[in-house]
Amino acid sequence: MNSPSLLSGFHPSQQAARHPIIATRPSPGFFEGALLGNGALGVVVCTRPDAVVFHFGHNAVWDIRLAENNREKIGNFQEVFTKVQAISPELGALSEDAWYREYCAMTGENYAKLYPRPFPCGSVILGFDRRETELLGHQLDIASGLCQVFFLTGGRRSILEVFTDMTSDRLWLRMVNEEGNPVAAPFNRVHLQPDPETPPEFPRFTIPEGLPTNTLAFRQTLPSQESAAGGSKSKNSGWNTDWKPPERGPDGAQTIPGNPKDRAVQLTAKLSAFLKRGSSSKWDGRIHPMDETEGEMSTTSEFIACIQLDHGLASEFPEVVLPEPTQQTHQVDLEASRKAWHEFWGKSGVVLDDELLERTWYQNLYFLNCSTKAGAPCPGLFANWSYRGIGAAWHGDYHMNYNTQQPFWVTFSTNHVEKHLPYVDLVKHLLPISRQWANEYYGLRGACFPHSAYPVEMTMMPYPVPTWGWEICETPWTVQSLWWHYLYTMDLEFLRERAFGPIQEAVLFLADYMQRPEAHGPQWNDDKNHIFPTVPPELYGLLPGFRHNSDCIVDLTLTKFVFQAYLEACRVLQMEHGEILQRVRDLLEHFPEYPTAISKNGKVFVSVTGEDPEIVYNTPNSLMTVFPGEDHGLHSSPEVYQIAANSYRNHRTEGGNELVFLNLAGARLGLLDLEAFKRQIRYCLLPNGTCTDRLLEVNGRYNDSTDFDFMAPMGIWFENFALPVVITECLMQSYQGEIRLFPNWPNDKKAEFHSLRAVGGFLVSAHFSEGMTQRVDILSEAGSTLRLISPWKDGVNCTTSSGTQRLYDKVIEIATKVGERLSFAI
């Protein structure tokens, strides 16, 4: 179905092409290099004064070892709850109690291991003689995914073109002159390098037999079981120094038997040049032979290379076949890649009278397309780019209290819903262990989703530590976007087959949890069913006497969201679950109020009752009802809106988790200062075009000795690729089922957007100039009833399949047909 467009012949790829990422000097650092990817494979293109270096990562390649110790010592929720309840409320912290301190150490032992984690897949280095060639810089065209590295040799410029195959895990290289014609490359050597920080207890990499003279490769086995040498975190998060190396045979191979579940990864480079084993004289005055994965390159009239990443079970490793590096095969994959990027950009686009905001919108959608796609594993914290320890902090895993969810917030309104599917697959992956945890640990029905998780086979909860493991909000948060997927697409099959089951499992657990004897009754002095105990995200932890551990605002708003979604899903699917439905309705009738306090900015929401409104938050806790709860916003009554607005103005955040989150809440309230937002983007911006997580203030968890940049070297923060959703929500909002146009856009700036997706399955295009919405085009994909909050005080001409009429309603309501187009013009 063709998308509506206001500009004849306009394609968003044209606008994307206006925002290349450029480096005018060598960029040797990991965070300076150009980011490439196909949604599974990730490549960082770094440029040194003497070489071009490609670092490879992949969403499906992990150190899959998993510690699952102390299963029998964890006990169950009721046992632990009773013991915690008995600890004196006079203590300053539960860690002052010896039993609790030891229990947390025991339950946190597995997570203290360095694995599982994304496994860096190795690097390819193309070296050259600096006396003959100078590397000038690079340019990344985000419209086509093509990276160009610029060289100067003998006074002539040449270009190394680099791109990823969008369907196969391949990287293509070609050398051309400024006219685009094939030329010889300046490279004199190629080196395939296994990751320098491969765990020392791993089997040594192997070289596949029978490689052609133009090919280099290595294969690394990824053990599935721990060994006696398994690494754990030391005080400085490095390798423990007391490990003992495993026995090795005379050839250096590890003698510990393999396991049928072991996996392997192979990196292969095939060139249009012949390779031979060479040597060089080095600083110690001796001649050193090249590594076994390194070769001298012969001189050829043209240079093409294909680098491929393969992975699978070590015992059943697939046959590795690379295409011949010829002009013809290169051109076929290049055209396919260009077509894939053209189709991606065709989904939606913006034209903004603000260069930074437009650039932020396009570049971060580029990064999103590089890092995730349907059919590939869901990315972790740092997506598919890794090297050495980069990308391994917090295991690079799934944190289910916003980090994992945030990147997918952008997929709905930008009309890239297919990018949400890896997250949907993740929910399915987590469901069995979440059901098990609800039943065996809590003794309740349904599914209790984890605090942290991995893309590996798990048989117990990875992080059963009560301090953060008792965050109840993670269960409704995990399933929330499944309902959004339905609302924005109206895909009944998706709702029935993929969304309803996990939502119902979450509802069952939450309903049972709120109806436990400890969560309601005379001890509460009300008729409410409470969420108790629980923990606010990244705040307080579990406290003596459970102070600040009941009815957290994020638990309340997300549980209410999922309860209401469940009721509506049952209606839409015509499913009768009488007992569950009635329990949910009863719980909503006896639902706790959101906690509030009086601040210097007036009445505000706070994360828990009794909280000081001057608290410095980690996540935007006091604004959770605005987003992700979607209970408050521009649709609210004046009284409630004022409390939410006060909360936004009063909010204090330490930084590191708010770049998208907090500013999205501001946009939803129509209060976002776009100039301040842009300054924050610049503050977090890295040379590669991504935004990192940087701190903003002390007196929360951080102090004046804290490095405000400590999270920047950890990896490429996948969560911040959601930045376009902040901009999109300034242009259009529809979360309440009513389309609101340009709710947070300045009157003195032009803006135009194309095919943004709205709740109800609508694709909306609109043009704003001279302080007014000039024109709107809408395509109804699902035949839903259109509800549009009219921005036209003097009426608007509306053209539908039934004709044209002048409308003056404050809220325009039109029953549409599947595939119908509607237009509005002043």
Side-chain angles (χ1 to χ4, degrees):
M1 196 175 290
N2 293 329
S3 302
S5 178
L6 300 180
L7 297 177
S8 177
F10 171 81
H11 194 281
S13 62
Q14 301 167 356
Q15 212 67 14
R18 297 179 58 185
H19 302 288
I21 300 171
I22 300 172
T24 57
R25 57 169 177 78
S27 302
F30 186 89
F31 298 98
E32 299 176 288
L35 299 182
L36 304 179
N38 65 8
L41 173 72
V43 183
V44 184
V45 184
C46 296
T47 53
R48 302 189 326 216
D50 69 335
V52 183
V53 183
F54 307 95
H55 299 300
F56 287 80
H58 199 286
N59 283 330
V61 178
W62 277 60
D63 177 347
I64 58 175
R65 294 173 297 168
L66 179 65
E68 293 191 322
N69 304 316
N70 303 319
R71 187 189 307 266
E72 71 288 348
K73 298 179 183 178
I74 292 174
N76 62 52
F77 170 78
Q78 195 60 47
E79 293 170 350
V80 179
F81 173 80
T82 301
K83 289 184 177 181
V84 173
Q85 194 175 38
I87 295 174
S88 171
E90 303 302 318
L91 294 181
L94 286 176
S95 58
E96 296 175 19
D97 179 84
W99 168 82
Y100 185 78
R101 186 169 60 250
E102 292 170 6
Y103 181 81
C104 287
M106 179 270 294
T107 52
E109 179 184 310
N110 294 329
Y111 198 78
K113 302 286 187 178
L114 286 173
Y115 45 79
R117 67 180 181 101
F119 185 79
C121 301
S123 305
V124 175
I125 300 102
L126 295 176
F128 54 87
D129 190 335
R130 288 183 58 240
R131 295 169 298 181
E132 299 174 1
T133 297
E134 181 182 0
L135 194 150
L136 303 176
H138 71 262
Q139 176 170 307
L140 174 59
D141 176 17
I142 66 169
S144 65
L146 181 68
C147 177
Q148 296 177 304
V149 182
F150 304 105
F151 298 87
L152 187 65
T153 304
R156 294 183 178 180
R157 291 170 63 96
S158 58
I159 303 167
L160 178 67
E161 296 181 336
V162 188
F163 72 92
T164 51
D165 185 312
M166 297 305 289
T167 56
S168 300
D169 293 333
R170 296 184 188 130
L171 185 77
W172 281 96
L173 317 174
R174 182 177 69 151
M175 206 77 196
V176 298
N177 59 21
E178 291 185 287
E179 289 73 40
N181 300 317
V183 294
F187 310 120
N188 55 21
R189 69 181 183 97
V190 58
H191 184 189
L192 271 64
Q193 186 180 58
D195 191 73
E197 295 185 13
T198 297
E201 65 271 22
F202 272 23
R204 190 177 187 276
F205 67 85
T206 59
I207 308 296
E209 296 181 356
L211 293 176
T213 56
N214 68 339
T215 303
L216 291 173
F218 72 85
R219 184 179 300 179
Q220 175 65 60
T221 298
L222 307 174
S224 60
Q225 293 183 323
E226 294 185 281
S227 70
S232 62
K233 290 182 181 177
S234 64
K235 291 181 180 179
N236 63 356
S237 295
W239 283 100
N240 216 332
T241 57
D242 60 354
W243 75 276
K244 295 180 180 180
E247 290 186 45
R248 295 185 182 272
D251 61 350
Q254 185 171 332
T255 59
I256 295 175
N259 184 282
K261 294 183 179 180
D262 290 352
R263 298 187 66 82
V265 58
Q266 178 169 321
L267 190 63
T268 309
K270 196 171 190 178
L271 291 72
S272 60
F274 292 109
L275 302 170
K276 66 176 183 177
R277 190 84 176 273
S279 61
S280 61
S281 177
K282 296 192 177 180
W283 70 274
D284 58 4
R286 296 190 298 170
I287 301 297
H288 290 260
M290 284 184 165
D291 289 347
E292 56 193 312
T293 55
E294 186 175 11
E296 288 184 355
M297 290 174 51
S298 63
T299 302
T300 57
S301 60
E302 58 184 48
F303 174 78
I304 299 176
C306 179
I307 307 170
Q308 182 168 298
L309 187 73
D310 293 273
H311 58 90
L313 285 173
S315 59
E316 302 174 7
F317 202 79
E319 181 183 3
V320 176
V321 179
L322 275 71
E324 289 299 321
T326 66
Q327 293 291 343
Q328 182 178 2
T329 54
H330 172 275
Q331 191 64 29
V332 169
D333 275 8
L334 177 61
E335 291 303 321
S337 176
R338 285 173 173 165
K339 181 180 178 182
W341 278 104
H342 190 76
E343 291 174 352
F344 173 79
W345 290 120
K347 294 281 188 177
S348 63
V350 299
V351 182
L352 305 178
D353 190 15
D354 190 298
E355 193 277 336
L356 179 57
L357 292 180
E358 185 178 288
R359 170 161 43 103
T360 299
W361 197 89
Y362 281 102
Q363 288 185 355
N364 282 277
L365 283 179
Y366 166 81
F367 298 135
L368 183 77
N369 196 35
C370 288
S371 55
T372 186
K373 69 177 177 181
C378 183
L381 289 170
F382 306 107
N384 50 349
W385 297 288
S386 58
Y387 175 61
R388 292 184 178 267
I390 297 172
W394 294 293
H395 297 268
D397 65 11
Y398 305 127
H399 275 42
M400 304 309 292
N401 60 351
Y402 105 82
N403 303 88
T404 306
Q405 292 89 341
Q406 180 170 293
F408 300 98
W409 296 345
V410 73
T411 62
F412 303 108
S413 57
T414 61
N415 195 26
H416 290 288
V417 185
E418 75 286 351
K419 293 293 179 183
H420 180 240
L421 294 177
Y423 181 85
V424 178
D425 292 338
L426 172 62
V427 176
K428 182 180 179 180
H429 168 70
L430 297 178
L431 198 54
I433 194 173
S434 301
R435 285 197 189 107
Q436 174 185 309
W437 189 243
N439 179 258
E440 296 180 2
Y441 181 73
Y442 283 99
L444 304 176
R445 297 178 298 172
C448 176
F449 287 90
H451 174 71
S452 293
Y454 314 116
V456 302
E457 182 180 343
M458 299 172 289
T459 64
M460 62 180 286
M461 196 59 72
Y463 190 85
V465 187
T467 308
W468 304 115
W470 282 9
E471 288 185 40
I472 298 301
C473 67
E474 288 162 338
T475 288
W477 216 333
T478 296
V479 302
Q480 179 186 40
S481 64
L482 304 183
W483 181 243
W484 280 336
H485 193 116
Y486 165 70
L487 288 180
Y488 280 85
T489 63
M490 305 305 289
D491 185 337
L492 277 173
E493 182 179 359
F494 175 87
L495 176 61
R496 183 181 294 109
E497 300 298 327
R498 307 195 68 179
F500 185 79
I503 290 173
Q504 180 169 261
E505 295 290 328
V507 166
L508 276 170
F509 172 77
L510 293 166
D512 281 2
Y513 194 75
M514 293 181 72
Q515 291 188 312
R516 293 165 31 256
E518 297 87 352
H520 69 97
Q523 71 270 29
W524 291 93
N525 297 316
D526 60 29
D527 63 348
K528 310 296 184 184
N529 289 84
H530 298 269
I531 298 178
F532 168 78
T534 187
V535 180
E538 309 296 329
L539 192 66
Y540 307 125
L542 208 58
L543 295 177
F546 295 116
R547 61 182 185 270
H548 296 337
N549 292 127
S550 64
D551 294 336
C552 300
I553 195 168
V554 62
D555 301 312
L556 296 176
T557 192
L558 287 174
T559 298
K560 181 188 288 187
F561 180 102
V562 170
F563 279 176
Q564 292 172 338
Y566 177 72
L567 295 178
E568 180 63 11
C570 288
R571 185 193 69 78
V572 170
L573 296 175
Q574 299 179 340
M575 291 185 173
E576 287 298 329
H577 298 272
E579 181 262 343
I580 305 174
L581 284 171
Q582 189 55 50
R583 290 181 70 195
V584 171
R585 293 190 183 103
D586 290 344
L587 287 167
L588 287 172
E589 289 178 5
H590 298 87
F591 210 76
E593 300 294 326
Y594 293 129
T596 58
I598 302 300
S599 75
K600 62 182 181 181
N601 286 292
K603 189 175 183 181
V604 297
F605 293 114
V606 289
S607 62
V608 289
T609 298
E611 180 175 88
D612 182 352
E614 288 297 300
I615 192 77
V616 177
Y617 292 115
N618 173 261
T619 56
N621 288 0
S622 63
L623 292 160
M624 294 290 190
T625 62
V626 177
F627 191 87
E630 299 190 329
D631 205 10
H632 301 147
L634 290 169
H635 68 282
S636 298
S637 67
E639 295 79 13
V640 172
Y641 176 83
Q642 191 60 56
I643 299 174
N646 292 346
S647 304
Y648 178 71
R649 296 186 178 101
N650 191 69
H651 184 85
R652 300 178 67 190
T653 181
E654 63 193 12
N657 300 279
E658 82 307 321
L659 181 60
V660 173
F661 208 156
L662 179 60
N663 291 304
L664 177 53
R668 282 285 178 91
L669 292 167
L671 296 175
L672 180 61
D673 181 337
L674 289 176
E675 294 304 313
F677 177 48
K678 287 157 59 178
R679 289 191 291 271
Q680 191 176 1
I681 290 173
R682 293 188 186 99
Y683 173 58
C684 296
L685 200 59
L686 295 178
N688 61 15
T690 68
C691 283
T692 190
D693 284 350
R694 277 190 167 133
L695 304 188
L696 295 176
E697 63 178 293
V698 298
N699 294 325
R701 296 182 303 176
Y702 309 124
N703 56 47
D704 287 333
S705 299
T706 305
D707 178 3
F708 268 44
D709 213 23
F710 82 92
M711 285 184 277
M714 291 180 175
I716 308 296
W717 283 92
F718 179 48
E719 64 190 49
N720 288 333
F721 299 166
L723 272 167
V725 75
V726 179
I727 299 164
T728 299
E729 292 292 321
C730 292
L731 303 175
M732 183 189 75
Q733 298 177 13
S734 67
Y735 62 96
Q736 283 289 312
E738 296 178 333
I739 296 173
R740 190 185 302 266
L741 298 169
F742 303 101
N744 200 121
W745 192 254
N747 286 331
D748 61 345
K749 289 191 175 184
K750 295 180 181 179
E752 185 169 308
F753 61 80
H754 300 259
S755 299
L756 295 185
R757 182 171 287 274
V759 165
F762 297 101
L763 295 181
V764 184
S765 301
H767 176 77
F768 183 91
S769 62
E770 299 177 356
M772 295 182 62
T773 302
Q774 302 287 338
R775 180 180 172 86
V776 180
D777 290 340
I778 298 176
L779 170 63
S780 174
E781 287 190 332
S784 304
T785 297
L786 173 70
R787 295 179 179 86
L788 173 64
I789 298 175
S790 176
W792 304 288
K793 295 180 180 180
D794 299 324
V796 65
N797 292 322
C798 173
T799 301
T800 69
S801 59
S802 302
T804 301
Q805 57 180 321
R806 188 80 176 172
L807 301 177
Y808 297 91
D809 308 280
K810 291 184 178 179
V811 179
I812 298 170
E813 188 168 315
I814 301 172
T816 70
K817 303 172 186 177
V818 174
E820 184 174 11
R821 295 177 181 274
L822 305 89
S823 63
F824 302 83
I826 57 177

